[in-house]
Amino acid sequence: MNSLVIAVYEVRRLIRSRGVLLNLFLLPLVLIFLLGSALSGIFNATELPGGTVKVAVVGERAEPALKMLETYVSEPEVAKRIRTEEAASRQEAEEMLRSGSADYALLFPDGFGSAVQRGEEARVTLLPGKDRSRNLTAGLVLGSFVDEINYRQAAAIVGGPEAAVPAAAPSGADAASAPRSYVQPGRLGTGIETYSASQYYAAAMLIMFLFYSGMAVNTSLNLEKSGHTLQRLHSLPVAYSSVFAGKLLGNGFVAVIQALVIIGFSRFAYGVDWGNRLPLVLLIAGLVILVSMSLSVMLSLLFPRGATAKALLQVLIIVMTFLSGGFSPMPGEVMRQLSLFTVNHWAFQGLLRIMLAGELNGIMSSIVPLLWITAACLLLMVVVYRKVGYRE
């Protein structure tokens, strides 16, 4: 009963605070609107960046791989993106890249096709140009061609040179039923094709500001110490644990209201589609709240000076949001690996998969690690509380 009374008082104190209303409720909604509107053109693009890419190709005219490449780039979907130009040597291809007459280069060494058919080591060289978006387009489109070469090389290693030669094209009645093209446009997932800027930043800001809501526990716990009211409360028939539990309940309730406001307002005011699995969205938000409050409590107890704990929390929130791509999608394998060690990554990916109407197994692959992280944080919080305690 004492904990509930303290929780009610905590909720009333937080709701009456203009700083809480502005920073935890209004600011995330403003950021979602501004970022979603400003970057809508980038996130809503339905085509690959860069337009038609000019690729300089170096290799012998009789090279089988060049004939494969000609067939590949003649496909209608590929022809929209790739246009090949012949180059006599690597030096000429590099000069074309420097001058801008080519955007990308593909180099076949002498005897490349024969080496592939024999199952021997063979390397094709890809030279990117100056434009990052065109490099991305060329890499994505030519990736299927390189995969086909790798497949033939692997087939030659296992089954001999004959296995590397593609089967003859069907004729007669079978030709009508045979696939006309190896390149077919498709959709990722079973729902919408991609998320919008508003969806992306709604998920990112929800997670980040739920962590800031958890940081309010740090302020609340230290407020009783700095005001020397904790000892007075303890002089009454109120245990330190009751005060501690009341603080957590009150701040947790406000964090839940904050999550509901952000999700509901962004849905009806901005048209943000949170997917068709709202209970899973709320589950992820609840797990983030538990993690944020656990981290806030641990740092508050380990660092008696409230300013130190608050500064550490702010740095931790910013770093985790940055690494998980909350400010901008992070390129590079190194950054992706680092993001796996952040709470934001698992919550963020789970929300995006829900928004994209992904399969339940894919969504749970993000929620399950988040569950383990939450359990570990709660356990550590209990251990720290038992070792340090909450008292003046």
Side-chain angles (χ1 to χ4, degrees):
M1 182 61 67
N2 290 332
S3 297
L4 291 177
V5 172
I6 294 173
V8 171
Y9 169 79
E10 190 71 15
V11 172
R12 293 173 61 185
R13 183 184 66 82
L14 291 172
I15 293 178
R16 291 173 179 174
S17 173
R18 294 181 180 178
V20 170
L21 295 178
L22 291 175
N23 296 328
L24 299 185
F25 289 87
L26 181 60
L27 184 57
L29 297 174
V30 172
L31 288 177
I32 292 171
F33 173 76
L34 293 178
L35 294 173
S37 301
L39 302 178
S40 60
I42 297 176
F43 281 79
N44 292 339
T46 58
E47 297 186 354
L48 291 173
T52 303
V53 180
K54 294 175 289 185
V55 179
V57 181
V58 178
E60 298 178 351
R61 286 183 175 272
E63 179 64 54
L66 284 181
K67 296 180 180 180
M68 287 176 54
L69 180 63
E70 291 177 2
T71 303
Y72 180 73
V73 299
S74 64
E75 298 282 355
E77 294 297 327
V78 178
K80 295 178 183 179
R81 293 295 174 185
I82 297 294
R83 179 163 59 88
T84 58
E85 296 184 6
E86 183 179 350
S89 63
R90 175 173 182 144
Q91 290 73 18
E92 182 178 345
E94 292 177 348
E95 181 60 32
M96 293 173 68
L97 292 176
R98 282 192 289 266
S99 63
S101 57
D103 304 308
Y104 206 79
L106 187 62
L107 281 62
F108 296 98
D110 295 341
F112 176 81
S114 301
V116 170
Q117 290 185 357
R118 293 193 300 269
E120 300 176 355
E121 180 179 356
R123 297 179 181 273
V124 60
T125 303
L126 306 175
L127 296 180
K130 301 178 181 179
D131 192 309
R132 180 180 175 185
S133 64
R134 293 180 181 272
N135 292 337
L136 176 61
T137 300
L140 290 173
V141 176
L142 294 177
S144 298
F145 172 72
V146 176
D147 290 341
E148 174 66 17
I149 293 178
N150 290 335
Y151 167 76
R152 295 193 181 188
Q153 186 178 28
I157 294 174
V158 176
E162 295 80 8
V165 180
S171 59
D174 295 335
S177 60
R180 296 290 184 182
S181 172
Y182 288 106
V183 181
Q184 297 180 5
R187 295 164 67 96
L188 179 62
T190 58
I192 58 177
E193 295 182 357
T194 185
Y195 43 77
S196 64
S198 296
Q199 287 178 300
Y200 186 90
Y201 285 107
M205 294 302 104
L206 172 65
I207 297 169
M208 186 175 75
F209 280 92
L210 285 180
F211 272 101
Y212 277 116
S213 182
M215 194 171 67
V217 178
N218 167 261
T219 303
S220 181
L221 293 176
N222 287 283
L223 186 63
E224 303 296 345
K225 292 182 179 181
S226 61
H228 303 288
T229 56
L230 183 59
Q231 191 65 35
R232 299 177 188 176
L233 288 172
H234 187 57
S235 65
L236 300 172
V238 179
Y240 286 123
S241 58
S242 297
V243 179
F244 181 76
K247 296 285 186 181
L248 294 185
L249 288 174
N251 282 273
F253 179 79
V254 173
V256 171
I257 298 300
Q258 177 195 20
L260 293 175
V261 169
I262 293 176
I263 294 172
F265 191 89
S266 62
R267 170 66 181 88
F268 294 104
Y270 304 153
V272 175
D273 184 4
W274 288 91
N276 56 358
R277 292 189 171 98
L278 184 59
L280 292 181
V281 174
L282 298 178
L283 173 61
I284 293 175
L287 294 176
V288 172
I289 291 172
L290 291 176
V291 172
S292 64
M293 295 182 66
S294 300
L295 293 175
S296 182
V297 168
M298 284 188 286
L299 291 176
S300 300
L301 297 179
L302 292 174
F303 297 94
R305 294 186 59 184
T308 302
K310 188 175 182 178
L312 290 175
L313 283 169
Q314 287 179 332
V315 171
L316 186 61
I317 293 171
I318 295 299
V319 170
M320 289 197 302
T321 304
F322 171 76
L323 291 177
S324 65
F327 298 128
S328 177
M330 298 301 297
E333 183 64 20
V334 175
M335 300 302 294
R336 192 187 72 83
Q337 293 296 328
L338 289 176
S339 70
L340 298 178
F341 296 93
T342 66
V343 182
N344 299 52
H345 168 82
W346 301 107
F348 196 28
Q349 294 303 313
L351 291 176
L352 292 180
R353 286 170 178 172
I354 293 173
M355 290 175 172
L356 293 176
E359 296 292 338
L360 182 60
N361 290 338
I363 298 172
M364 294 306 297
S365 67
S366 296
I367 294 180
V368 171
L370 189 59
L371 283 169
W372 284 107
I373 294 172
T374 304
C377 289
L378 290 174
L379 179 61
L380 287 174
M381 181 187 71
V382 172
V383 171
V384 171
Y385 177 78
R386 291 178 65 88
K387 291 292 184 181
V388 180
Y390 176 55
R391 58 181 60 88
E392 288 191 36

